Each structure stands twice: as structure tokens, then as C-alpha cells.
Amino acid sequence: MFFTSYKFIGFVILLVSLYYVLPKKAKWPLLLLGSYVFYYFAGWECLFYILGVTVITYVAGLLISKNKKAADARFSEMKQLEKSGEGSPEEVGKEARKRFKEAQKKRRRRIMAIGITLALLILAVVKYTNFTIHNINSILSVFHAPKRIDFLTIALPMGISFYTFQAVGYVIDVYRDRHEAQKNFFKYALFVSFFPQLVQGPISRYGDLSKELFTPHTFKGCVVERGLQRVIWGYFKKLVIADRILPAVNTMIGTPENFKGAYVFLVMMFYALELYADFTGGIDITIGIAEMLGIPVKENFERPFFSKNIAEYWRRWHITMGTWFTDYIFYPISVSGPMLKLSKWGRAHLPEKMGKRLPVYLASFIVWFTTGIWHGASWNFIVWGLGNFVVIMISQELEPLYAKFHKKVNTDGSVTYKSFQIGRTILLMSALRLFDCYRDVPLTFKMFGTMFTTWNWGSLGNGTLLHLGVARADYVILALGTILMFVVSMIGRSGSVRDKLAKKVPLAGRWAIFSALLLIVIVFGAYGLGYDASQFIYNQF
């Protein structure tokens, strides 16, 4: 049941209608039932995976929370016993309390580690088993070993990376005492499985989502209208833009030997547009559906193609994933005991600046390696992730030179230079995304090189573009749709476009605007042979 199917649209209409009709106590159970029905249609066997992750992390959170409460109670009791003189210093004194506190924290850390390991093990088995087998076989072939390991037939459950990370984040937050564990298993199961987020995120935090998710919301026309507007806008980006340009991208990357040089640059630009419209369109649908139910969900994008460097780009693109990696991987690693020892060693044996930043380099490397392999179990994604790491690290190390240049040339506030920075960032990110397009590391480097060795830019104007599966009329619709998306993004820099419409345009006018947008989606949406209006790109992750 994909977001773009009629079945899904009917499912959402029915669920939203029932949500506002049923009694308050039945609202969150309806969402849980609806989420599992939605997931059932993705494959009934996938239910075992999400249930497994849910049970493991629920039990881990509960055990951590119970231990924390029991330890706090015992700690207070030890203090009272010391004050009253009823216990010996060895049993209840300051040092005894300190040892007790450290021992209990170590126990909670052990529970957390076991819960996280088991949850991630499920993800690793279904997503990385065949990748591991492939690499083992490659090593065996180097040594001419006669035997090879057979690949396993394992279906990748929809959204497993998203709900696993969401559940792991919950366990870590319980351990950090940011919130208590949820005692009601079914409420926790709803947090993990909330259906709009299952396809491609956002990756929500329990503290952000739980309160509104379990609160019964009453019907408000303005709330449903607002959510519906976001949903329609998402379908516009997905069906009118992303799926319209998809055949051209598939044609060029499907036969790379026929599309070198200028066409590789075209792949870069087309794929950047397709990915952005596809991913943000899906997130718009997710957030819109949640809004229709009165449930706010974190924004996942903030006009990333207006970024002036790649570090800024990643603060604006897939925001919830970036903050997840920062909070749960980068910071814990960079301030861990081994890293502090490494920093001390680095300051003693390396140049001071490099020694201080050594933990940052290593933690960043781990984060970007993990980011790459999270996106897909193949070397092209790993190289893509490490490519981002290299560019960001070089940029950070050259910041003093940049500062001198800006001071000398006086680029502050220059529209021309800001435009250059934005264009440079788009080109860098699009070039790195070629690893995603061609899915083969040597081929990607080869195709990238042809942009400088095969000079065939003139062929772009000889009619070849009309033989990529996209007709002339499609290019016109695509151009107009992209312009509209850009204009809306520009308007949105100073605040929500929907808020501005609500203030300045009467209800009838707003309905006319979004009815027209819906009509455009229905009439000009890309459907049928050559198009794929069912899958979102991030489904595979």
C-alpha cells in the first residue's frame, strides 16, 4: 500500500474519518491498528521484524527505567541511614553511595547495550547479510578458493532503517533519563509503527511525538484543511515533477555507454531534482497526514539547495537523520574515554591543532561511514558517505584561508558570491550523488571523468533529449512545475506559505488554489508505462 496508490488514499480517508468519529479512548488504539494494517499490506512477514524491534526496545526501556527508580530509592535510603547513624560508613557512607551509583549506572548501560545490539542485529541480518557474503566471496575469489557462500533470500522490510533508529533513540533517551519508559506496550508500539513515518521518516524522538500521538484530538476544520494542503503539495512534487523526470534518469543511467560527457552532467542535475521532489514530496505527505490527525511531526527539510556549503546542506537536508547521527553517534564517540586518551596522545605527538581535532576527525569518519551504509548495503553508498566526510573535513581545515580571502576581497553580503557558493554546493552534492545513480564505484568515477574527456554538449540540442522517455510537453510541464516549486520555496523563507495564505486569502480562495493544484496533479501527474508512481526513492533505505 504505497502513498501514491488509490488504496492508500482510501485508507487515509477512512482512518481520518473514523479517528474523529470514535470516542476519545479509542483514538490511539485506532492509529495502532491502522499502522499495523498499513504495514501488513507491505508484506505480512514484515510484521515479525517490527514486532521484534518493538518488543526488544520496549523491554530494554522498561528495565532501565525500573532500575533507575529502584536505584534512586535505595540511594535516598542510604543517605537517610547515614544521617540517622544506623549504618556503617562502609555500607552507606559517601564512598559506598558513589560505588552503588556507579554500579547501577553500569547495569543500566549494559541493559541499554544489549537492547540496542539486538535491535540493530535484526536490521543487520536483513539488510547486510548478502552484502557481507558478497564481500567474503570477493575475497575468496582473490585467493582462487573453489567454494563460494550462497546468497540468502531475505526480503528487506519497508522502513526498517527508520523505525529501528527511532526505537534505538528511545532506549538511549530512557538511559539518559530524558523521559521515563512507556509502561503501556501498545502505546509504545504505536510510537514505533506510526504509519505515515514508516515509508521514509522523519525519525521522531519519543519526547517530541508521544504526547500528541496519544492525546485524543477533536475535529477542527482548519487543522484538517491545513494537513490536506500539505498532502496535495506533496503529491504535486512527487507525481508532477519527480516521476515525470524519472524515465530520463533511468534511461541515461541504464545505458551509461550511450550517455557520456554532457549527459552525465544532465544525470547530476536531473537526479538532484528528482530526489529532492520525491523525498520532500513524501515528507510533505507524511507531515500532512499527521497534521490532519492533529499530530505535529518534525520538519525534515529547510530549503537545502540554498546552502552555501555541504555542512550547511546536511543541516537542512533530512534533518532528523542528521540530528540522530549527531546526538547518538558523533557526540558519544567524540567525548568517550578512548577518544579523550587519543586526543591527549595526539596533542603530545602531533601538531597541536591536529591533535585536538583528532577525535573529531575519527568520530566524523565513523558517522559518515555509518550514514553511507545506512543508505544502502553496497560500496557505492559507503564511498558516497566518505566523500561527504572528505569534502566537509577539507572545508573545515581551510576555514582560516577562507577567512583571509573574504577579508581581503570583501565578499560579505555579496549576492554574486552567495550565488556562487550555492551553485558550488549544488554541483558538489549532485556529483557525489552519482554514486547513488550508477551504483558502481569504478563506473561512477569513469562516467564522472567523461564530463571532461567527452565533449558532446552540442548533442543536447539535436533532439536526443526527446528520446529519453520524456516528451516535449513533459519538459514544459516539468519546467513550469520546477519554477512553481522554486517560487514557493522562496516565499517560504520568511515563514510558512500556508500561514500566509490563511492570513491573506479567504477560505473560498484557498480552496480554489488547492483545488486547482489537485486538478493539476490529477491531470498532469506522471502515470502509466515508463513511470513509477508507486515507489518512493527512500523506500529502499
Side-chain angles (χ1 to χ4, degrees):
M1 194 195 304
F2 299 113
F3 275 18
T4 49
S5 67
Y6 294 120
K7 188 185 295 183
F8 177 76
I9 294 171
F11 167 77
V12 171
I13 292 172
L14 177 61
L15 187 75
V16 172
S17 300
L18 286 174
Y19 183 82
Y20 287 115
V21 169
L22 290 177
K24 290 182 178 181
K25 291 183 178 180
K27 290 183 185 294
W28 74 258
L30 171 69
L31 295 180
L32 175 61
L33 175 63
S35 297
Y36 269 80
V37 167
F38 172 79
Y39 209 66
Y40 170 82
F41 280 102
W44 64 268
E45 65 278 1
C46 296
L47 292 173
F48 293 107
Y49 296 109
I50 194 169
L51 272 172
V53 170
T54 302
V55 170
I56 289 167
T57 52
Y58 168 76
V59 171
L62 209 59
L63 291 175
I64 292 169
S65 194
K66 284 185 176 180
N67 176 274
K68 180 68 168 59
K69 285 184 177 180
D72 287 347
R74 176 56 184 162
F75 190 80
S76 298
E77 183 183 349
M78 292 170 74
K79 290 179 72 175
Q80 291 297 325
L81 287 172
E82 185 187 23
K83 284 182 180 180
S84 62
E86 296 180 22
S88 65
E90 291 77 15
E91 294 175 327
V92 296
K94 186 177 180 180
E95 288 300 320
R97 293 199 305 272
K98 184 179 178 181
R99 288 194 302 270
F100 173 78
K101 194 173 183 178
E102 289 176 351
Q104 294 306 309
K105 187 175 182 180
K106 187 176 181 180
R107 181 174 296 180
R108 291 194 295 275
R109 190 185 300 120
R110 191 180 300 119
I111 295 169
M112 176 189 69
I114 292 171
I116 290 173
T117 301
L118 291 176
L120 292 177
L121 188 61
I122 294 175
L123 175 64
V125 168
V126 300
K127 195 169 182 178
Y128 304 109
T129 297
N130 284 334
F131 175 62
T132 304
I133 292 172
H134 170 74
N135 284 287
I136 292 172
N137 285 340
S138 297
I139 295 171
L140 292 174
S141 66
V142 171
F143 294 98
H144 306 289
K147 292 186 178 181
R148 298 289 186 275
I149 304 173
D150 293 331
F151 289 105
L152 302 180
T153 304
I154 304 175
L156 184 62
M158 180 181 66
I160 187 170
S161 296
F162 291 100
Y163 67 69
T164 300
F165 273 29
Q166 189 158 300
V168 166
Y170 162 84
V171 174
I172 296 173
D173 284 346
V174 171
Y175 169 77
R176 292 175 176 176
D177 205 23
R178 290 184 176 175
H179 53 72
E180 288 190 15
Q182 172 58 252
K183 295 183 178 63
N184 188 317
F185 172 76
F186 298 103
K187 283 187 175 181
Y188 177 68
L190 172 58
F191 163 73
V192 176
S193 66
F194 186 44
F195 77 94
Q197 298 185 136
L198 281 177
V199 175
Q200 53 189 353
I203 303 173
S204 293
R205 310 290 178 93
Y206 183 82
D208 296 329
L209 184 63
S210 59
K211 184 178 178 181
E212 295 295 338
L213 189 60
F214 308 139
T215 299
H217 299 280
T218 56
F219 178 82
K220 293 180 181 178
C222 59
V223 171
V224 176
E225 176 201 350
R226 184 179 174 83
L228 185 59
Q229 290 170 353
R230 187 77 180 257
V231 169
I232 295 171
W233 180 238
Y235 278 119
F236 171 81
K237 288 198 281 188
K238 166 64 174 170
L239 295 175
V240 177
I241 299 175
D243 285 354
R244 173 158 269 99
I245 203 171
L246 176 64
V249 175
N250 285 344
T251 299
M252 288 187 286
I253 65 176
T255 53
E257 64 278 1
N258 298 330
F259 297 98
K260 301 177 181 179
Y263 294 98
V264 179
F265 180 80
L266 206 62
V267 168
M268 284 170 49
M269 296 297 100
F270 279 13
Y271 185 69
L273 177 61
E274 180 204 347
L275 180 63
Y276 176 78
D278 184 284
F279 195 7
T280 61
I283 293 297
D284 286 332
I285 295 170
T286 291
I287 294 175
I289 293 171
E291 283 185 348
M292 290 170 69
L293 295 164
I295 301 167
V297 173
K298 286 281 187 180
E299 292 289 344
N300 217 24
F301 292 90
E302 189 183 344
R303 294 173 294 284
F305 286 116
F306 289 97
S307 304
K308 293 184 284 295
N309 54 62
I310 290 187
E312 182 186 352
Y313 174 92
W314 280 108
R315 290 193 294 269
R316 292 166 170 256
W317 176 281
H318 208 342
I319 297 168
T320 57
M321 184 199 72
T323 55
W324 195 98
F325 278 109
T326 299
D327 292 346
Y328 300 124
I329 297 182
F330 178 80
Y331 285 135
I333 290 176
S334 60
V335 299
S336 63
M339 282 297 182
L340 295 177
K341 291 179 182 178
L342 179 64
S343 178
K344 185 178 180 180
W345 177 91
R347 288 196 300 271
H349 296 85
L350 298 171
E352 184 179 359
K353 184 179 178 182
M354 183 181 292
K356 285 181 179 179
R357 290 182 60 79
L358 203 56
V360 175
Y361 298 149
L362 187 53
S364 297
F365 176 87
I366 293 169
V367 164
W368 281 108
F369 178 88
T370 308
T371 302
I373 204 167
W374 178 86
H375 276 79
S378 57
W379 282 105
N380 62 291
F381 286 113
I382 294 173
V383 174
W384 165 79
L386 295 181
N388 279 275
F389 162 75
V390 169
V391 174
I392 290 172
M393 287 297 103
I394 291 175
S395 178
Q396 288 180 356
E397 291 306 307
L398 293 178
E399 278 182 1
L401 292 178
Y402 294 154
K404 289 181 182 178
F405 170 79
H406 295 322
K407 186 177 181 180
K408 188 174 183 179
V409 181
N410 192 22
T411 59
D412 291 342
S414 170
V415 175
T416 302
Y417 187 71
K418 285 181 179 178
S419 299
F420 162 75
Q421 288 178 300
I422 290 170
R424 177 191 60 189
T425 303
I426 292 172
L427 288 174
L428 279 171
M429 286 307 306
S430 300
L432 287 169
R433 289 286 185 191
L434 287 175
F435 289 106
D436 189 6
C437 294
Y438 294 108
R439 302 296 175 96
D440 180 271
V441 176
L443 177 62
T444 301
F445 281 113
K446 179 182 177 182
M447 296 304 295
F448 180 79
T450 64
M451 284 195 291
F452 307 98
T453 58
T454 304
W455 204 254
N456 57 349
W457 295 88
S459 64
L460 297 179
N462 65 6
T464 304
L465 293 180
L466 300 178
H467 298 284
L468 299 178
V470 180
R472 194 184 304 274
D474 290 316
Y475 282 114
V476 173
I477 295 169
L478 186 61
L480 293 174
T482 304
I483 291 170
L484 177 59
M485 187 169 64
F486 174 77
V487 170
V488 170
S489 186
M490 290 292 288
I491 295 172
R493 290 191 301 172
S494 59
S496 169
V497 175
R498 290 178 296 164
D499 287 343
K500 292 178 181 180
L501 287 174
K503 290 178 181 178
K504 298 180 180 180
V505 181
L507 180 62
R510 295 199 301 272
W511 276 105
I513 291 171
F514 282 95
S515 296
L517 186 64
L518 178 60
L519 185 62
I520 290 172
V521 173
I522 294 170
V523 174
F524 296 108
Y527 312 98
L529 188 63
Y531 298 99
D532 182 0
S534 58
Q535 284 274 18
F536 281 86
I537 293 174
Y538 263 67
N539 269 16
Q540 64 189 299
F541 305 137

